């Protein structure tokens, strides 16, 4: 049994925290199976004896009629979806404005009326259940299970005192009825002071428009010591330069992950649409109106605002992870005019352009709201780290210049390689190309691909060789306009020798698995390494590296070494070959990472045919999978991790789609529909766990479209969609069209599946088909 402290830690770290020679080769990801055998639409039911009329029952309401999304599509986006939830169902969504993947993520940091903000519900600084705003910080993450960033607090306040240099001394009450969150815009009116704060953003600049009550003693606070829960400030500087008309500074923060490499330096330069002559500073709670410069961990500056003639003031804060000069240059390049309305219009237009690549028809406005909010959430992280001129500070803290690409950081790769990056590769390839080039730049410094780079460092968070798997998946899906051989070389280096992101690589190679004594989460690590090897084997084969491909294909079956036929589970093994004794399949064990035996039983997405053989063949395999879902359907939902299928975390999120790999479209459709309707909503609790930088949102978009990529392969599995029609732009004049007149009705059987004019024999597609574009038609029944 885990202690209360361990449980609390687990809550806040939800991420983001025998050989079978007869089994198929590793590159045979999907098994051969008989043709899809759909029943005739008019098949008669057998006669049955007469029975007494049943008691009256409630008849489900008919599904809403289809509604086609119309411009502006931004009206369907609700950034507050996923900002609430309980325990492991917390979405940790970021509600503030930003540009797609922008550095500037200004937004509210909230708490209860005592200033308390529990770690596990405030990873993005904001919780929908809160009642007070603590301040607005400029850097956040989206959907993570660990707290980091939250740098440089900004807060409007009425009156100034030493108490207001502390976060708890300046709490402002708010209500959601007086809060607006939209793509590129946020607004909140404080209940006590009646001060209104509006926020928008460019890629590197946070813009605020504050309206005080007329005649109020308005002040603007710039708090270098502002933090989120579980984040420490280790260094800080602030300077007021009235002659230059700017405030500037630096803050080094060390959060749950950035603390692992000594923290991140964030640089800022602010301009205010009012004179700074009366501005002052503070240090350690002491106001120093005559001092322009302070350094320390609890320092800041304040600017009095004359509200007699004009109660509205605009603030622009330029940001950089490189140095102060680049923060200033970013501000000059993107918002020198301090024109809040212009920046808001441009931000809205940018989001509209990105959202317009997905055109759908679905059953009712709530369905459209959920889908477009999910698309929006897939476009928030990673984070742009290169400046307007291309300069960036790398994972070795050296300043470099991105030539021909833009450099990004904050990649939650253990999560995002599964759905987020395949989605971006498909619909937003220009961004995905730069994400690959960014981790290539990191890999050249590290000697291997990173797993969880954050800010200006590599955290090594979670486990596996996820960066290499993401690169391989991107290549397999056709985004290849970068130095492919160099990309392959970095992946190969980390897969075959140390230094490597694969801890216990030597024993994985010698034993065929990572032993319990080799590292924590040893079974999960083994399965992650095998999965990465499967993806790399396909990439190697495509590049003509036949010998490497063969070795990696053999290593991709290493997960089989964890299957104990006596216990019928994947379990950890000791160095001497003994399997660990597992007392209960529903319990978390130290050899699993964020999951249990039920959730890791299916974790060989790259080799589903081999996995089915290992578990006794197709029928037994699918029966075992159905057992898990029936137990899931019957279980009571709690704030704790689900005991069986757990959609709130990543290792088993492909499981609902598995039956379609074996031609059981109806089972996949039933499982997918249950997850889609029972785990997602259009409210603050609408994401069933940490969104993990868009991972769960990307899953929802794929589920709505009825297609799902198996990352690291070229396979797409099908299930009944919830949209009735969709057009997804793939670029280059290519479009994926989906038609499903009965989509969203609960219909789960396929009367027919067609790709163009071709009737599909199996409920799946290849990457070559999807990548070329075409029309996928579902004729569904019950």
């Amino acid at each position: 049994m885990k202690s209360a402290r361990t449980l609390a830690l687990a809550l806040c770290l939800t991420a983001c925290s025998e050989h079978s020679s007869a089994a198929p080769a590793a590159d045979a990801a999907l098994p051969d199976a008989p043709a899809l055998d759909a029943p005739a639409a008019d098949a008669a039911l057998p006669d049955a004896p007469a029975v007494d009329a049943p008691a009256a029952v409630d008849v489900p309401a008919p599904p809403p009629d289809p509604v086609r999304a119309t411009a502006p599509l931004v009206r369907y986006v609700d950034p507050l979806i996923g900002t609430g939830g309980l325990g492991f169902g917390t979405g940790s969504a970021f509600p503030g404005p930003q540009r797609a993947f922008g550095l500037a993520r200004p937004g509210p940091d909230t708490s209860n009326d005592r200033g308390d903000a529990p770690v596990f519900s405030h990873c993005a600084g904001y919780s929908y259940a809160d009642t007070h705003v603590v301040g607005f910080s400029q850097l956040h993450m989206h959907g993570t299970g660990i707290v980091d960033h939250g740098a440089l607090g900004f807060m409007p306040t009425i009156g100034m005192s030493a108490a207001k240099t502390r976060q708890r001394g300046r709490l402002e009450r708010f209500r959601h009825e007086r809060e607006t969150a939209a793509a590129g815009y946020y607004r909140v009116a404080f209940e006590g002071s009646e001060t209104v704060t509006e926020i928008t953003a460019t890629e590197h600049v946070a813009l605020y428009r504050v309206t005080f009550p007329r005649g109020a003693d308005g002040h603007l606070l710039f708090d270098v010591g502002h933090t989120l829960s579980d984040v420490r400030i280790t260094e800080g500087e602030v300077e007021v330069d009235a002659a230059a008309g700017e405030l500037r500074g630096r803050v080094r923060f060390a959060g749950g992950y950035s603390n692992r490499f000594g923290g991140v330096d964030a640089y800022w330069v602010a301009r205010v649409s009012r004179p700074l002559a009366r501005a002052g500073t503070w240090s350690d709670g002491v106001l120093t109106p005559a001092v322009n410069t302070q350094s320390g961990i609890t320092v800041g500056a304040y600017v009095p605002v004359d509200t007699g003639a004009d109660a509205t003031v605009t603030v622009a804060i330029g940001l950089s992870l490189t140095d102060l000069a680049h923060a200033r240059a970013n501000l000059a390049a993107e918002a020198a005019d301090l024109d809040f309305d212009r920046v808001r219009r441009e931000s809205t237009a940018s989001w509209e352009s990105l959202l317009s690549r997905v055109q759908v028809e679905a059953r009712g406005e709530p369905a459209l709201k959920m889908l477009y909010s999910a698309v929006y959430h897939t476009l928030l992280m990673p984070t742009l780290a290169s400046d307007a001129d291309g300069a960036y500070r790398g994972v070795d803290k050296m300043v470099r210049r991105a030539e021909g690409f833009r450099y990004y950081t904050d990649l939650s790769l253990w999560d995002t390689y599964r759905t987020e990056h395949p989605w971006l590769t498909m619909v937003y390839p220009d961004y995905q190309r730069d994400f690959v080039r960014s981790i290539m730049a990191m890999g050249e410094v590290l000697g291997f691909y990173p797993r969880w780079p954050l800010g200006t460092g590599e955290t090594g968070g979670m486990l596996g060789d996820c960066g290499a798997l993401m690169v391989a998946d991107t290549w397999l899906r056709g985004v290849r306009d970068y130095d492919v051989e160099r990309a392959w070389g970095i992946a190969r280096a980390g897969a075959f020798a140390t230094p490597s992101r694969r801890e216990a690589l030597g024993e994985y190679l010698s034993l065929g698995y990572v032993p319990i004594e080799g590292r924590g989460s040893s079974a999960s690590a083994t399965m992650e390494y095998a999965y990465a090897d499967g993806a790399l084997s396909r990439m190697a084969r495509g590049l003509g590296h036949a010998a490497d491909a063969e070795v990696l294909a053999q290593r991709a079956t290493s997960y089989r070494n964890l299957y104990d036929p006596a216990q019928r589970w994947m379990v950890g093994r000791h160095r001497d070959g003994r399997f660990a004794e597992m007392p209960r399949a529903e319990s978390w064990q130290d050899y699993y990472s964020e999951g249990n035996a039920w959730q890791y039983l299916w974790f060989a997405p790259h080799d589903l045919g081999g996995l089915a053989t290992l578990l006794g063949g197709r029928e037994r395999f699918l029966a075992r999978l159905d057992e898990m879902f029936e137990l899931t359907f019957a279980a009571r939902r709690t704030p704790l991790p689900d005991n069986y299928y757990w959609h709130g975390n990543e290792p088993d999120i492909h499981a609902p789609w598995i039956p379609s790999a074996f031609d059981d479209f109806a089972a996949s459709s039933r499982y997918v529909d249950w997850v889609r309707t029972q785990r997602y909503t259009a409210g603050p609790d609408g994401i069933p766990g940490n969104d993990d930088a868009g991972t769960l949102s990307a899953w929802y978009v794929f589920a709505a479209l009825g297609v799902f990529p198996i990352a690291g392969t070229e396979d797409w599995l099908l299930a009944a969609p919830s949209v009735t029609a969709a057009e997804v732009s793939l670029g280059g004049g290519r479009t994926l069209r989906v038609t499903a007149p009965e989509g969203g009705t609960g219909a789960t059987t396929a009367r027919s599946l067609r790709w163009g004019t071709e009737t599909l024999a199996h409920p799946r597609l290849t990457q070559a088909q999807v990548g070329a574009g075409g029309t996928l038609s579902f004729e569904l029944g019950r």
Side-chain angles (χ1 to χ4, degrees):
M1 178 181 295
K2 294 183 181 289
S3 67
R5 181 179 179 185
T6 302
L7 176 58
L9 181 62
L11 283 168
C12 75
L13 294 183
T14 306
C16 2
S17 67
E18 305 279 47
H19 284 287
S20 174
S21 58
D27 58 354
L30 297 182
D32 291 330
L36 183 67
D37 189 14
D42 58 354
L45 296 175
D47 293 333
V51 296
D52 292 336
V57 296
D58 291 332
V59 177
D65 291 334
V67 177
R68 179 166 289 278
T70 56
L73 300 177
V74 289
R75 65 195 172 102
Y76 301 113
V77 172
D78 183 358
L80 294 178
I81 289 177
T83 59
L86 294 174
F88 282 86
T90 300
S92 293
F94 170 64
Q98 67 168 95
R99 298 292 177 91
F101 308 114
L103 173 66
R105 285 197 193 96
D109 300 331
T110 60
S111 73
N112 62 18
D113 59 358
R114 299 181 304 276
D116 299 327
V119 171
F120 66 85
S121 59
H122 290 79
C123 294
Y126 178 101
S127 174
Y128 193 83
D130 286 337
T131 56
H132 287 69
V133 172
V134 174
F136 303 92
S137 55
Q138 316 316 308
L139 303 175
H140 292 89
M141 295 195 292
H142 166 72
T144 61
I146 197 160
V147 185
D148 224 308
H149 289 293
L152 183 61
F154 170 79
M155 188 66 170
T157 190
I158 294 178
M160 188 60 199
S161 67
K164 293 191 174 184
T165 66
R166 300 186 301 273
Q167 291 178 206
R168 291 174 186 259
R170 55 176 184 256
L171 300 179
E172 288 277 5
R173 186 173 184 84
F174 79 106
R175 293 185 295 116
H176 296 299
E177 292 82 359
R178 304 185 70 187
E179 178 185 41
T180 300
Y185 178 73
Y186 178 86
R187 179 187 188 276
V188 66
F190 296 150
E191 290 287 283
S193 68
E194 293 301 315
T195 300
V196 174
T197 302
E198 300 172 89
I199 320 175
T200 190
T202 68
E203 290 184 321
H204 299 92
V205 181
L207 280 95
Y208 294 85
R209 183 162 61 192
V210 177
T211 302
F212 292 103
R214 184 66 61 85
D217 183 19
H219 285 75
L220 306 175
L221 310 185
F222 297 81
D223 185 2
V224 175
H226 175 95
T227 64
L228 303 182
S229 301
D230 208 36
V231 179
R232 297 180 301 111
I233 302 301
T234 61
E235 294 181 21
E237 301 167 4
V238 63
E239 182 176 1
V240 178
D241 189 340
E246 70 177 32
L247 300 95
R248 53 184 176 258
R250 175 183 68 91
V251 56
R252 177 172 296 173
F253 60 88
Y257 266 170
S258 57
N259 186 57
R260 296 184 178 188
F261 55 81
V264 176
D265 284 330
Y267 301 86
W268 59 277
V269 172
R271 292 177 59 83
V272 182
S273 62
R274 296 296 180 88
L276 301 179
R278 295 191 298 130
T281 61
W282 75 76
S283 176
D284 296 334
V286 178
L287 299 180
T288 52
V291 178
N292 292 331
T293 303
Q294 296 283 4
S295 61
I297 62 174
T298 56
V299 300
Y302 60 92
V303 179
V305 177
D306 183 354
T307 63
D310 183 2
T312 298
V313 58
T314 302
V315 178
I317 305 174
L319 302 165
S320 175
L321 301 182
T322 306
D323 54 34
L324 202 60
H326 281 92
R328 183 179 297 109
N330 290 339
L331 174 56
E334 298 175 4
D337 56 2
L338 274 68
D339 189 336
F340 186 95
D341 289 325
R342 173 189 63 80
V343 171
R344 181 184 174 186
R345 286 194 304 270
E346 291 175 355
S347 185
T348 300
S350 175
W351 280 113
E352 183 70 14
S353 176
L354 291 168
L355 295 170
S356 68
R357 299 190 193 185
V358 183
Q359 302 283 341
V360 301
E361 177 186 270
R363 294 192 180 275
E365 295 278 333
L368 296 177
K369 176 180 174 181
M370 292 170 66
L371 191 142
Y372 280 103
S373 297
V375 174
Y376 169 81
H377 279 144
T378 68
L379 298 170
L380 300 187
M381 273 180 67
T383 301
L384 180 64
S386 55
D387 297 305
D389 68 353
Y392 70 90
R393 192 174 294 275
V395 292
D396 58 353
K397 303 298 193 294
M398 300 296 293
V399 176
R400 293 181 167 79
R401 189 170 301 277
E403 301 288 351
F405 73 103
R406 309 180 87 194
Y407 181 85
Y408 291 84
T409 185
D410 298 347
L411 288 102
S412 179
L413 290 163
W414 184 79
D415 311 290
T416 54
Y417 80 77
R418 305 164 200 263
T419 58
E420 166 81 351
H421 289 292
W423 166 250
L424 298 176
T425 302
M426 173 185 177
V427 186
Y428 304 97
D430 289 346
Y431 284 112
Q432 179 60 20
R433 182 181 302 108
D434 280 354
F435 299 154
V436 169
R437 289 171 171 167
S438 296
I439 68 168
M440 286 174 61
M442 297 176 198
E444 290 183 329
V445 172
L446 298 169
F448 48 82
Y449 283 117
R451 189 163 60 217
W452 221 122
L454 184 151
T456 53
E458 157 64 347
T459 72
M462 299 309 298
L463 72 166
D465 199 357
C466 313
L469 204 162
M470 182 269 267
V471 170
D473 181 75
T474 302
W475 185 87
L476 289 166
R477 298 189 189 284
V479 174
R480 301 175 179 177
D481 47 346
Y482 44 88
D483 189 335
V484 172
E485 285 297 336
R486 185 159 60 92
W488 161 251
I490 298 169
R492 188 190 188 284
F496 281 87
T498 56
S500 173
R501 190 35 82 202
R502 303 188 186 204
E503 298 83 359
L505 173 64
E507 290 186 299
Y508 171 72
L509 298 179
S510 62
L511 298 175
Y513 60 92
V514 176
I516 290 172
E517 298 84 357
R519 60 152 291 159
S521 304
S522 60
S524 298
T526 299
M527 289 184 269
E528 290 281 359
Y529 298 168
Y531 192 0
D533 285 338
L536 293 177
S537 72
R538 293 177 174 86
M539 184 179 184
R541 184 170 290 111
L543 292 174
H545 303 299
D548 286 342
E550 184 62 31
V551 171
L552 290 163
Q554 282 298 117
R555 284 166 43 176
T557 65
S558 299
Y559 73 90
R560 302 175 194 173
N561 296 329
L562 301 180
Y563 184 68
D564 180 0
Q567 299 184 82
R568 299 177 62 233
W569 300 106
M570 302 284 188
V571 297
R573 292 185 75 171
H574 295 280
R575 283 195 176 112
D576 62 10
R578 288 178 297 115
F579 290 104
E581 293 292 331
M582 185 173 56
R584 184 169 173 268
E586 293 78 18
S587 62
W588 282 25
Q589 302 296 323
D590 289 341
Y591 43 79
Y592 299 129
S593 176
E594 300 185 358
N596 64 23
W598 276 110
Q599 290 140 17
Y600 273 99
L601 184 60
W602 323 103
F603 192 51
H606 61 295
D607 186 26
L608 292 174
L611 181 62
T613 299
L614 189 67
L615 270 61
R618 178 185 184 274
E619 300 306 321
R620 290 185 179 181
F621 178 68
L622 293 180
R624 191 95 180 269
L625 183 66
D626 191 63
E627 178 188 6
M628 179 184 74
F629 277 102
E630 290 299 333
L631 289 167
T632 303
F633 300 161
R636 181 172 64 92
R637 193 175 184 189
T638 75
L640 298 175
D642 293 328
N643 282 333
Y644 306 105
Y645 175 72
W646 183 23
H647 193 71
N649 208 20
E650 280 68 30
D652 63 346
I653 60 174
H654 65 290
W657 302 84
I658 287 176
S660 283
F662 300 86
D663 284 357
D664 193 342
F665 176 87
S668 276
S669 297
R670 185 164 68 98
Y671 303 156
V672 169
D673 186 66
W674 183 88
V675 175
R676 195 170 49 210
T677 59
Q678 300 302 310
R679 289 295 184 261
Y680 291 87
T681 75
D685 61 349
I687 301 175
N690 299 150
D691 196 22
D692 287 324
T695 301
L696 295 189
S697 289
W699 190 100
Y700 182 84
V701 176
F702 283 131
L705 297 173
V707 297
F708 187 79
I710 298 297
T713 77
E714 297 173 273
D715 304 315
W716 291 77
L717 302 179
L718 308 182
S722 61
V723 301
T724 52
E727 292 187 3
V728 181
S729 174
L730 309 180
R734 298 166 298 127
T735 302
L736 173 65
R737 296 178 177 84
V738 175
T739 65
E742 296 301 313
T745 65
T748 57
T749 62
R751 292 194 174 105
S752 74
L753 300 174
R754 295 192 308 279
W755 179 249
T757 59
E758 171 195 356
T759 297
L760 294 175
H762 309 287
R764 50 188 181 265
L765 295 171
T766 65
Q767 177 59 37
Q769 290 172 306
V770 174
T775 300
L776 176 61
S777 302
F778 295 85
E779 185 181 342
L780 303 172
R782 291 179 179 270

